[in-house]
Amino acid sequence: MASTAAGKQRIPKVAKVKNKAPAEVQITAEQLLREAKERELELLPPPPKQKITDKEELNDYKLKKRKGFEDNIRKNRTVISNWIKYAQWEESLQEVQRARSIYERALDVDHRNITLWLKYAEMEMKTRQVNHARNIWDRAITILPRANQFWYKYTYMEEMLGNVAGCRQVFERWMEWEPEEQAWHSYINFELRYKEVDKARSIYESYILRSEQTKYNLPNSLVMVHPEVKNWIKYAHFEEKHGYIALGRKVFERAVEFFGEEQISEGLYVAFARFEEKQKEFERVRVIYKYALDRIPKQKAQELFKNYTVFEKKFGDRRGIEDVIVSKRRFQYEEEVRASPHNYDAWFDYLRLVESDADPDTVREVYERAIANTPPIPEKRHWRRYIYLWINYALYEELEVKDAERTRQVYKACLELIPHKKFTFAKIWLLYGQFEIRQKNLQNARRGLGTAIGKCPKNKLFKGYIELELQLREFDRCRKLYEKYLEFTPENCSTWIKFAELETILGDSERARAIYELAIGQPRLDMPEVLWKSYIDFEIEQEEYEKTRGLYKRLLQRTQHVKVWISFAQFELTIESSNRLQRCRQVYEEANKSMQNCEEKEERLMLLESWRDFEEEFGSDANQNRVQKLLPEKVKKRRKVTAEDGSDAGWEEYYDYIFPEDAANQPNLKLLAMAKMWKKQQQKEEEPEDEEEESLPQGKQSSPQDSSDEEETKTAAPQDLDRDDDDESSSSDSESDEDDREKTEEKEAGSEKD
């Protein structure tokens, strides 16, 4: 034939290009593709098909085709597609015998090819050669029994032929090989199509019994077929669908027994509960859910919780719904504490839930699990939350269970566990002592607290023990405890004060005074001002005013704090006597003299303000004026600022107080005040001159040179004064208020007259 195998003529090769220089007009890739597409139109169309009209021509065609097929087979015998094409071509010519011969020859080459067997059997079925087809299927399932396609095709053919017995026989042969579960369901559906319910049940039984044989390892047992939950559920639904409720329940019960607690399944119990729910057996449903929740691991029971909650909302009461919610929360807490056993907050939440709705044994079990998680590091910060587990455990045993002996055991176990040499917890010791007091066992309480003070003395332990003895009115024991406490921490002022207050309450003022004297004689105190104040208040309460004055004087020998002077003055003022004002004024005068060299000028100002308030209330006008003259002037100054690295950080402004007594002794300050007065006087003189200049004609006005000379004169004095100022490079505030200036002028005028 003139045409090629593709049915198109070849394009002749293009001549080689001799000139390879770039063309003037460049051709794009798009143009090349378009040209190639246009050239396809130039190909010659395939020749027309030939029709065979003569028998000889047909025989020649058959001979040629057979020769081609045989050549292909001879080239590569293992290519099964060549055999199948050859057989199908013979089948299309109604040459069944030849096709059968080709399939047999192909099976000799590869008898495990599933496609080859299927094509062979389908050819026999198409040609209605039933016995031949049966023969092929029998051979196929014998050689390849695990090829499910053969069994499906075989059973389908027998059922289509109406050979029910033969189909059942094929299924039985198939089931002996224990195929996949879909094969069993196909067998069951086959029996149900013919209303053979008992036979379908027997298939399920055989299906299930093989699983049970595997479970119990019976002799001559087969391999486990498919012992899965869904197959049991399908069996039970089969019984339910056909109205055998009792048998369906029995199937579920057998399934629960079969899987046991080792391989327990959530889906089985959910299906069982739904089955009973359809039968209106609500109590059975509730029992099934609770049984499953108690045995299934919590992480695998999410669906079970969900279905149980839905069931209780539909058919249960409020108590049942709460039980479900509690169970779900318990599961969440179990997961949390299992993930991080040292998360004590999770244990607290879990225990709070269990205590609200559980028996004591369950609560104790959870507490024991919680306290077993001892902190891995012996540091107090890691033990703080852990100790509260023991405290809650002991309180639960005492208050809820009312078991005193077990509570005592909990306290003792906790106290043995704490490493007291490194750290301790006073709270647990005090709780133990209070528990023994409630049990009317005073000896054990004192023994426990004494052991605590001996092993690990702490402020809180001493305070708690002393408070306990005070409530019991054992004052001698309190004195001994205070003595031990002060030996432990002699610098603790509050302890000295409490000890003295105890003696005061007991009416022994001499002992209290002796305690105060010992306290103020200590070389180191944490809050000495509180101690002195307490001592002074004590003497005032005892109306020992001379001793109080002596205390103030002793205190002022140690410190010259302004609050001490003010308190001393207030004390003199509060005493009812004829010369109390004179005494108070005398204290203020002494304080003022002693604080003249004080660097803290704010404290000196505070003293003078307090003195001024006193004179305004009780003093005469002369005394008031005298104190008023002692008040300082507030001025703004500048000073250099040095950075941390020693470099210059510029200047900063600050406020300083200049006291008149200090100003009289410092000529620089006096000169500064006189300069201010001079500047003020100059400003007053300039005002009428400016008015005269405005009234003069233009030619008679002062020249700029004259005005500049005046400005130099005005500014000369302050510049000179700045050079004579103090070492801190301070400068008076030019923007200070007029009131401050007037006060300064009055003070300077008064000092000059003197």
Side-chain angles (χ1 to χ4, degrees), residues 690-704 706:
D690 294 339
E691 294 177 358
E692 291 177 0
E693 288 177 358
E694 291 177 359
S695 61
L696 288 175
Q698 185 175 359
K700 295 182 179 181
Q701 290 182 359
S702 61
S703 63
D706 298 336

Side-chain angles (χ1 to χ4, degrees), residues 143-308:
I143 296 173
L144 301 172
R146 294 296 177 187
N148 293 328
Q149 292 176 326
F150 298 157
W151 297 100
Y152 283 121
K153 294 279 187 179
Y154 195 4
T155 54
Y156 180 74
M157 184 191 75
E158 294 293 354
E159 189 174 0
M160 290 296 102
L161 293 174
N163 187 9
V164 178
C167 183
R168 184 176 291 113
Q169 186 177 6
V170 174
F171 270 118
E172 290 176 356
R173 291 175 59 189
W174 189 8
M175 295 305 111
E176 290 179 359
W177 288 98
E178 298 181 359
E180 61 185 12
E181 57 188 59
Q182 184 57 42
W184 293 88
H185 295 308
S186 298
Y187 189 12
I188 292 168
N189 293 333
F190 163 75
E191 296 293 356
L192 291 177
R193 283 196 292 271
Y194 296 98
K195 311 299 182 184
E196 296 289 346
V197 178
D198 293 335
K199 290 186 177 180
R201 183 181 294 111
S202 65
I203 297 169
Y204 270 117
E205 287 294 330
S206 175
Y207 189 19
I208 299 302
L209 284 174
R210 295 191 185 202
S211 301
E212 292 182 349
Q213 287 174 356
T214 306
K215 175 188 173 185
Y216 295 110
N217 294 323
L218 298 177
N220 300 324
S221 62
L222 300 175
V223 185
M224 182 180 292
V225 184
H226 295 287
E228 298 178 5
V229 173
K230 59 181 180 179
N231 297 324
W232 289 89
I233 295 174
K234 287 180 180 179
Y235 184 18
H237 287 170
F238 161 78
E239 298 290 0
E240 180 187 5
K241 182 178 179 181
H242 292 88
Y244 299 101
I245 304 301
L247 291 177
R249 183 177 292 116
K250 188 175 181 181
V251 170
F252 275 118
E253 292 172 355
R254 288 170 59 194
V256 171
E257 182 183 358
F258 170 73
F259 288 102
E261 296 185 2
E262 297 179 357
Q263 299 178 353
I264 195 167
S265 174
E266 178 188 21
L268 176 62
Y269 288 98
V270 171
F272 195 4
R274 288 178 179 174
F275 169 80
E276 295 293 355
E277 184 179 342
K278 290 179 183 178
Q279 312 309 320
K280 309 298 182 183
E281 295 286 348
F282 301 130
E283 289 301 323
R284 284 178 176 268
V285 176
R286 193 170 285 109
V287 170
I288 291 168
Y289 277 125
K290 290 183 178 179
Y291 177 85
L293 289 173
D294 291 340
R295 286 162 177 78
I296 295 180
K298 304 303 180 183
Q299 65 273 12
K300 300 180 181 178
Q302 295 290 338
E303 190 67 23
L304 198 63
F305 273 121
K306 182 179 178 181
N307 285 276
Y308 189 20

